[in-house]
């Protein structure tokens, strides 16, 4: 397969005059997904190279929060404390928008969805610091303008500050956003819908001319009352909330057919004009703290892999609602990193990298399902649509329904369809953070991003099987209260590849574990006689 850009000024002849530079994995795009992928590869002992076309980190205000399953994964990598320390705004109550209604988890002791108010720009700073500590190379101002691949490598033609050059790698991963040039050059179809609407968001300080009532509503001279939540008019939708005691958050949604780039800055005047069109009135506003504009697209890559080129994050999926895209993209990176590393280190079993597409395309489709449902809820403006929203809001008043929808948003409902001969309910799910003996936990065991066999019942015959893989799988013995299984085989992405039922016969457990170890971590390479006794 051969694909290349037709951009002028970057002909192959010019690039061939420079010496070829080698890398194991080239990542195109130093946004959150690309940065996390670089960190995961570095933890696995692989040299990633990040190429970012912009010379400086972007300051455009995009996502303003981080939430969902990725928070637990960051905890497993020891990064959550760093992220939490960077949060300066109060953590909002767990009440999340869902297509014009709300999923209210505030009355739950253990809400299934958590969100942190962390701007994407700050998240990128934190991830870049972490990746730098791990020794990864980030080159800013280097744009990939062409790609070529064969059965053994992929070559990127790059336009850098000092001129064009080529770099050859084992794999190239496109993390370059929804308008991905790499995805286009690789010939990966990106089908879906662009909705004819523009959403604008403005966060401001509280002006002196308005009064905030006890229930959060606003009142002011000539303003009347502005209620918390969404107000629909013939011209669109207006949203109001108060994320902190000192700030107000406003939003508008208007049907517009103009394709506006989300990274073009929005002014306060533009937002005021939008409010006038939607509500027909002026809203007093204090000092603007955040101004953002975004459109909604519903698109999904036909495949996440084309030979040695892969896509992740927004390059793989665009979700038509807020609150899920960043979480889904970061989880792509965690799924992919260890699989690429396994192939580069030479122990990947057949089909391991293809499982990235199988698993994450499924996860992307689930994320699209719930965000498409939000589109149906929010875009209707007739009495029937109002009735639908009222019914859904009433259903979400039941805890079971609220938990189910919150799991959709968080991505915690994803269970991969993995081989499961004993039908254990944990196989394919995200590993729970069990508290273990020795003052440790599952999170502690996964900090190094290494697969773990966790023996929870002191079963020597299970450990004996795993010792043939001890060069790539950590073997640990521990106890936990009310153990859910006798043993867990946990992949680096924290998903459970195999679990032994409590009291499972030794021969059945051994056969199942051996099949799982071979299927995910390749052929055994070490003699059991060479293995040291594993500890807790």
């Amino acid at each position: 397969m051969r694909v290349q850009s037709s951009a002028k000024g970057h002909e192959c002849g010019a690039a061939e005059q420079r010496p070829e530079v080698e890398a194991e994995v080239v990542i195109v795009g130093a946004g959150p997904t690309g940065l996390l992928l670089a960190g995961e590869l570095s933890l696995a002992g692989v040299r990633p190279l990040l190429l970012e076309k912009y010379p400086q980190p972007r300051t455009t205000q995009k996502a303003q929060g981080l939430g969902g399953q990725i928070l637990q994964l960051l905890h497993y990598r020891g990064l959550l404390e760093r992220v939490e320390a960077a949060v300066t705004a109060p953590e909002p109550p767990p009440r999340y928008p869902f297509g014009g209604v709300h999923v209210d988890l505030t009355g739950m002791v253990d809400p299934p969805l958590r969100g942190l108010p962390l701007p994407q720009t700050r998240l990128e700073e934190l991830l870049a610091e972490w990746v730098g500590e791990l020794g990864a190379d980030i080159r800013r101002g280097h744009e990939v303008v062409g790609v070529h691949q064969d059965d053994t490598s992929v070559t990127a033609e790059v336009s850098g500050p000092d001129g064009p050059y080529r770099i050859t790698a084992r794999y190239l991963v496109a993390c370059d956003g929804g308008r991905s040039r790499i995805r286009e050059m690789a010939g990966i179809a990106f089908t879906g819908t662009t909705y004819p609407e523009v959403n604008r968001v403005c966060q401001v300080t509280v002006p002196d001319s308005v009064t905030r009532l006890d229930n959060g509503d606003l009142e002011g001279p000539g303003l009347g009352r502005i209620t918390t939540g969404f107000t629909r008019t013939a011209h669109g939708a207006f949203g109001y909330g108060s994320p902190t005691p000192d700030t107000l958050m406003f939003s508008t949604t208007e049907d517009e057919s103009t394709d506006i780039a989300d990274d073009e800055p929005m002014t306060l005047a533009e937002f005021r004009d939008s409010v006038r069109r939607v509500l027909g009135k002026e809203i007093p506003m204090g000092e603007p703290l955040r101004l953002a504009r975004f459109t909604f697209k519903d698109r999904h890559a036909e495949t996440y892999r084309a030979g040695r080129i892969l896509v992740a994050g927004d390059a793989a999926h665009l979700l038509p609602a807020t609150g899920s895209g960043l979480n889904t993209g970061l989880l792509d990176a965690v799924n992919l990193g260890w699989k690429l590393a396994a192939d580069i280190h030479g122990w990947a079993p057949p089909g391991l990298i293809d499982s990235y597409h199988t698993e994450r395309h499924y996860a992307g489709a689930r994320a699209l399902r719930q965000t498409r449902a939000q589109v149906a809820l929010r875009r209707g403006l007739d009495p029937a649509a109002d009735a639908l929203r009222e019914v859904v809001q009433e259903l979400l008043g039941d805890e079971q329904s609220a938990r189910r929808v919150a799991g959709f948003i968080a991505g915690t409902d994803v269970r991969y369809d993995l081989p499961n001969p004993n039908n254990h309910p944990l196989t394919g799910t995200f590993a729970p953070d069990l508290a273990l003996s020795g003052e440790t936990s599952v999170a502690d065991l996964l900090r190094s991003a290494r697969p773990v066999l966790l023996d929870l019942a002191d079963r020597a015959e299970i450990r004996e099987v795993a010792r043939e893989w001890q060069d790539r799988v950590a073997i640990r013995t521990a106890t936990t209260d009310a153990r859910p299984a006798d043993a867990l085989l946990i992949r680096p992405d924290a998903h459970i590849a195999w679990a032994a039922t409590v009291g499972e016969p030794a021969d059945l457990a051994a056969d199942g574990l051996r099949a799982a170890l071979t299927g995910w971590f390749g052929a055994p390479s070490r003699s059991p006689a060479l293995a040291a006794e594993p500890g807790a």
Side-chain angles (χ1 to χ4, degrees), residues 32 61 125 139 154 195 231 279 327 392 401 407 469 494 524:
Q61 301 186 60
E125 290 176 1
R139 299 183 187 176
V154 56
Y195 295 97
T231 300
L279 279 186
N327 175 63
V392 171
S401 297
W469 284 264

Side-chain angles (χ1 to χ4, degrees), residues 102-141:
H102 282 88
V103 183
D104 193 341
L105 313 176
T106 53
M108 299 182 188
V109 176
D110 58 337
L113 173 60
R114 182 190 182 198
L116 292 177
L118 183 72
Q120 181 173 321
T121 51
R122 185 69 181 112
L123 175 63
E124 291 180 8
E125 290 176 1
L126 295 174
L127 291 175
E129 290 171 4
W130 175 60
V131 166
E133 293 165 8
L134 294 174
D137 185 8
I138 305 176
R139 299 183 187 176
R140 299 188 183 274

Side-chain angles (χ1 to χ4, degrees), residues 520-533:
W520 291 109
F521 309 117
S525 60
R526 298 288 293 272
S527 169
L530 299 178
E533 181 65 24

Side-chain angles (χ1 to χ4, degrees), residues 153-174:
S153 65
V154 56
T155 298
E157 298 176 15
V158 186
S159 175
D162 298 324
Y165 65 96
R166 282 183 170 181
I167 187 162
T168 299
R170 295 280 298 277
Y171 290 97
L172 183 146
V173 185

Side-chain angles (χ1 to χ4, degrees), residues 8-67:
K8 296 180 179 180
H10 302 292
E11 290 81 3
C12 296
E16 289 170 353
Q17 297 174 8
R18 297 178 60 88
E20 188 174 88
V21 183
E22 299 294 334
E24 289 175 322
V25 178
V26 167
I27 302 169
V28 182
T33 299
L35 289 166
L36 186 59
L37 177 58
E40 290 289 300
L41 288 167
S42 298
L43 287 174
V46 168
R47 295 182 298 109
L49 171 62
L50 284 88
L51 300 177
E52 169 57 60
K53 68 178 181 179
Y54 293 103
Q56 299 294 332
R58 284 172 289 176
T59 59
T60 303
Q61 301 186 60
K62 302 182 87 172
Q64 288 297 299
L66 180 66

